[in-house]
Amino acid sequence: PVMSAPSTCGGFTPVRRWESRRALMVLLLTHADYEGPFVANFPSIDANILSTQVDLLVHTLEAQTFVHALGLRRRFQIGDFRYYTSGQNHTVIHLRRPLELPPHVPSFEASLRIHPAGYNNCHRKQNLSYSIATRYYTYQMLRLRILAKYELFLKLDSDVHVCRRFDVTLPIFQSRSVFMHTAKFPCLIANGCQHCDASAPRVAKSYCPKGAIDTREPSDVYYANFIVGWLGLFAS
């Protein structure tokens, strides 16, 4: 079920007016390991999420083979955005562009070898590339000019399989909500579960001098494998 809750956002100047339900689903594939799950799950996305209202943008850092693997039909190109048509006649856009990196990281490949000291619990095997890729959805993605054509953005992980048709734009449009997300992370302290130590505040602390930054842990942790945001807020 889809449930709504009052927004706790402070004042902001909206840059959209709820004039449409057009949405862009954005998927970042940082390396080839993510391409296999995406290719396997794309038919369910094409059949159950994409529509005349919802397009898909796949952002890669290097050449990928998913276009051929999915049988996409080439349409046209605008700048470095390549437009294709899927088997269900939906729009798929491919963007090949480097990621914006923090000043202390020389390349994305280098981030694969950097393990922040704060990663000790749920992401003890994780590296800095995970945080950089996640950061993309909160900064670099929101500055893509192509988003000016859309009212909403969607983010779906490459390993998510969509089981049935779902109009993702309707609930958030009808309720005029600013954000939609999947369920709360099932973390029970009594069972020994702790909050994820790969959270943004802890990552920031691991790279900043002591006392240079003031952060706080979130009170709730939600799955980020499927989110929807209103660009009236997120692009403001």
Side-chain angles (χ1 to χ4, degrees), residues 48-189:
N48 296 314
I49 296 290
L50 301 186
S51 68
T52 56
Q53 298 281 349
V54 182
D55 300 335
L56 170 65
L57 170 69
V58 183
H59 185 157
T60 67
L61 310 186
E62 54 191 27
Q64 300 284 350
T65 61
F66 74 88
V67 171
H68 177 73
L70 299 178
L72 301 179
R73 303 187 299 276
R74 180 87 176 256
R75 290 166 56 192
F76 55 86
Q77 181 171 344
I78 301 177
D80 48 1
F81 294 92
R82 295 178 173 86
Y83 286 72
Y84 299 86
T85 299
S86 71
Q88 299 282 342
N89 291 319
H90 299 138
T91 298
V92 178
I93 308 162
H94 179 209
L95 170 65
R96 183 182 175 186
R97 185 179 292 178
L99 283 183
E100 297 176 3
L101 302 172
H104 62 278
V105 181
S107 67
F108 184 78
E109 290 71 23
S111 72
L112 297 169
R113 301 185 294 272
I114 300 175
H115 184 85
Y119 287 13
N120 299 313
N121 180 28
C122 62
H123 282 79
R124 61 172 59 92
K125 295 181 179 180
Q126 198 55 267
N127 52 52
L128 183 61
S129 66
Y130 178 84
S131 297
I132 291 176
T134 302
R135 172 182 177 269
Y136 165 83
Y137 292 98
T138 64
Y139 183 67
Q140 185 175 352
M141 180 201 75
L142 294 173
R143 295 166 61 230
L144 294 175
R145 292 186 177 181
I146 194 173
L147 284 176
K149 303 177 181 179
Y150 299 91
E151 191 84 22
L152 304 162
F153 77 87
L154 287 73
K155 182 252 186 185
L156 188 72
D157 282 3
S158 62
D159 58 355
V160 173
H161 181 89
V162 186
C163 297
R164 62 181 180 180
R165 185 74 191 169
F166 177 43
D167 186 347
V168 296
T169 66
L170 186 60
I172 195 168
F173 185 83
Q174 289 180 332
S175 64
R176 296 296 195 267
S177 300
V178 298
F179 191 63
M180 185 166 69
H181 57 76
T182 41
K184 186 175 180 180
F185 191 80
C187 180
L188 301 176
I189 302 299

Side-chain angles (χ1 to χ4, degrees), residues 208-223:
C208 294
K210 187 175 182 180
I213 186 171
D214 181 25
T215 64
R216 64 183 179 87
E217 289 297 315
S219 57
D220 295 306
V221 179
Y222 295 92
Y223 283 114

Side-chain angles (χ1 to χ4, degrees), residues 3-17:
M3 298 173 289
S4 62
S7 171
T8 58
C9 291
F12 67 95
T13 302
V15 292
R16 300 287 191 281
R17 298 182 178 180

